[in-house]
Amino acid sequence: MMKRWLMVLLLGLGMAAGAQAADVLADIHADMAGCESCHADGEPSSDGAYENETCVGCHGGMTEIEGDQHAAHDGMLVCSDCHAVHEHTAAADASGACADCHDDK
Ligand code: HEC
Ligand code: HEC
Ligand code: HEC
Ligand code: HEC
């Protein structure tokens, strides 16, 4: 479930801070709301569980986000399995994001 008010607030903050086009997903988010938006106290967790919960908190779960690639993996994958947030903007950029597990996708 999209928390509209939060998205609007964050977008507003991002614009107020003069956010520029950032190259990777983590930076796009950090420009909006800092490293703390995904990391507890800004520090990465050892297993990524906390970080993946933050994604769901803002964007919703696998059955709620647009795109068949999400619903197809409900209960199987977590966000960071495909979204290499510190490496790319688009999940599809990640080399082998689909081919790692599927021969035909
Ligand atoms: C959109 C959410 C998000 C934001 C914002 C974010 N990170 Fe991360 N970060 C992650 C996730 C998810 C991982 C673990 C998986 C991965 O490396 O892709 C991670 C991993 C890391 C790691 C460990 C890297 C490794 O190779 O083990 C460091 C260090 C880190 N982040 C620092 C930062 C700093 C510093 C900022 C702010 C400039 C930041 N992160 C902002 C989501 C985020
Ligand atoms: C604090 C709320 C928040 C958190 C936490 C968060 N996001 Fe976002 N995310 C946003 C907002 C706001 C945008 C920009 C508006 C949009 O595109 O929906 C965005 C944009 C995106 C986009 C689209 C970027 C583009 O190309 O426009 C992706 C993909 C994404 N987030 C994935 C993630 C993933 C994966 C995580 C967890 C590692 C995460 N987000 C954590 C709020 C959040
Ligand atoms: C099976 C791989 C996979 C997983 C797992 C995954 N995504 Fe995605 N996601 C994609 C692909 C592929 C796209 C299309 C754009 C791109 O390449 O980044 C996308 C697009 C998005 C977008 C942009 C949607 C739009 O059309 O505006 C958001 C936001 C997003 N993902 C968030 C998430 C979140 C949050 C999670 C975890 C709950 C997640 N994704 C898990 C592969 C994945
Ligand atoms: C970490 C491994 C992994 C990744 C990465 C991954 N998948 Fe999957 N995917 C699975 C598993 C496991 C299943 C369930 C078993 C099956 O049906 O093959 C599945 C099922 C599916 C299904 C439904 C069943 C089918 O074969 O039609 C689709 C569609 C799909 N994946 C598309 C994608 C796409 C597109 C990407 C890249 C954005 C992707 N997957 C990335 C593991 C993965």
Side-chain angles (χ1 to χ4, degrees), residues 12-56:
L13 288 174
M15 282 168 198
Q20 307 145 354
D23 286 327
V24 300
L25 203 51
D27 293 346
I28 292 172
H29 288 79
D31 282 352
M32 293 187 282
C35 310
E36 294 78 8
S37 52
C38 298
H39 297 298
D41 299 321
E43 291 294 324
S45 66
S46 55
D47 60 2
Y50 176 89
E51 285 78 1
N52 279 297
E53 279 172 28
T54 69
C55 320
V56 175

Side-chain angles (χ1 to χ4, degrees), residues 1-3 6-7 51-61:
M1 202 170 314
M2 186 80 75
K3 289 182 180 150
L6 182 58
M7 304 292 263
E51 285 78 1
N52 279 297
E53 279 172 28
T54 69
C55 320
V56 175
C58 287
H59 290 283

Side-chain angles (χ1 to χ4, degrees), residues 37-105:
S37 52
C38 298
H39 297 298
D41 299 321
E43 291 294 324
S45 66
S46 55
D47 60 2
Y50 176 89
E51 285 78 1
N52 279 297
E53 279 172 28
T54 69
C55 320
V56 175
C58 287
H59 290 283
M62 296 286 281
T63 56
E64 298 170 293
I65 307 163
E66 268 178 58
D68 295 342
Q69 74 278 16
H70 295 121
H73 303 100
D74 183 38
M76 284 183 253
L77 305 184
V78 294
C79 315
S80 61
D81 284 334
C82 295
H83 293 276
V85 299
H86 283 287
E87 290 166 41
H88 303 280
T89 298
D93 287 349
S95 61
C98 310
D100 274 353
C101 302
H102 298 281
D103 294 336
D104 57 342
K105 291 183 175 77

